[in-house]
Amino acid sequence: MDASTDSILSVGWVAVNGFSIDLESAQHLYVDTTASVNADGAVVNHIVPEMLKDGVPLDEAMNRLFDAAKNRILIAHGAIIEASFVEEYLNHRYGLKDVPILWIDTLAIEKSMAKAVNADSSIDVRLAETRERYGLPEYNGHEALIDAIATAELFLAQQTRLFDKSYPCIGKLYRMSR
């Protein structure tokens, strides 16, 4: 996926508050776009043009995401993808570059933990495979809200592994995300 050529087709999020996931905050939006749906992308994300017809305008979807993200750190698995699309949107729509959005990347955290155990570690860090190692349930992936919930659960599992039941050090998690 390339943020400079591909379009945002859906947005999904859920809030993590302390040690729990706030499912009442969960949102999923399809984006009404004139962009064509890439056939290869549809195989992965299962989004077809008919799903986008009842979607919301991109500005509305992003504004709702930004409202939900106020005073929060964004968590994603492979955050570089989400971050690139958010940055491209902000740059294209408002001319903003280098917006100080903090991202925690569960994929990078998993890589960091694996390297701490074995410097030559080459484990599979895809979301489903990482969740399986933590004994988390299997989900059908590549749908924005399902991936958000799956990532939130993984984040809490990683947080527990790293900090047991004590309050997590966000600075450490952020550094591990780099």
Side-chain angles (χ1 to χ4, degrees):
M1 293 187 286
D2 183 348
S4 64
T5 58
D6 294 328
S7 299
I8 297 172
L9 302 178
S10 70
V11 182
W13 66 86
V14 65
V16 175
N17 297 319
F19 297 102
S20 64
I21 298 169
D22 179 7
L23 290 176
E24 287 185 9
S25 72
Q27 292 287 306
H28 180 257
L29 305 168
Y30 286 110
V31 175
D32 181 12
T33 179
T34 58
S36 61
V37 174
N38 177 317
D40 292 334
V43 170
V44 174
N45 61 32
H46 308 288
I47 296 175
V48 295
E50 293 77 20
M51 298 167 113
L52 305 177
K53 287 180 183 175
D54 294 326
V56 300
L58 179 58
D59 286 341
E60 180 181 337
M62 296 305 286
N63 285 335
R64 288 173 63 181
L65 171 64
F66 295 144
D67 282 344
K70 280 182 188 169
N71 301 315
R72 293 188 173 273
I73 297 170
L74 300 179
I75 303 168
H77 194 77
I80 192 166
I81 295 169
E82 281 82 355
S84 68
F85 277 89
V86 168
E87 289 169 6
E88 180 67 26
Y89 170 79
L90 291 171
N91 183 29
H92 182 266
R93 180 71 173 93
Y94 300 105
L96 298 173
K97 293 183 180 187
D98 301 319
V99 177
I101 298 174
L102 294 179
W103 292 87
I104 289 183
D105 187 344
T106 55
L107 184 148
I109 290 171
E110 197 64 21
K111 280 184 179 179
S112 179
M113 287 193 296
K115 285 183 180 180
V117 173
N118 179 358
D120 295 328
S121 180
S122 59
I123 64 168
D124 188 340
V125 291
R126 290 177 293 175
L127 183 56
E129 287 68 21
T130 302
R131 288 177 52 80
E132 185 178 329
R133 282 193 299 280
Y134 284 83
L136 296 169
E138 184 178 339
Y139 291 138
N140 290 330
H142 302 298
E143 192 267 353
L145 179 56
I146 291 171
D147 284 354
I149 293 169
T151 299
E153 290 174 347
L154 174 59
F155 174 73
L156 292 177
Q158 288 174 326
Q159 174 178 294
T160 299
R161 181 170 287 172
L162 287 165
F163 303 102
D164 195 26
K165 298 207 185 286
S166 63
Y167 195 75
C169 176
I170 296 300
K172 180 175 182 171
L173 292 169
Y174 180 74
R175 285 188 298 279
M176 292 174 78
S177 293
R178 301 291 126 230

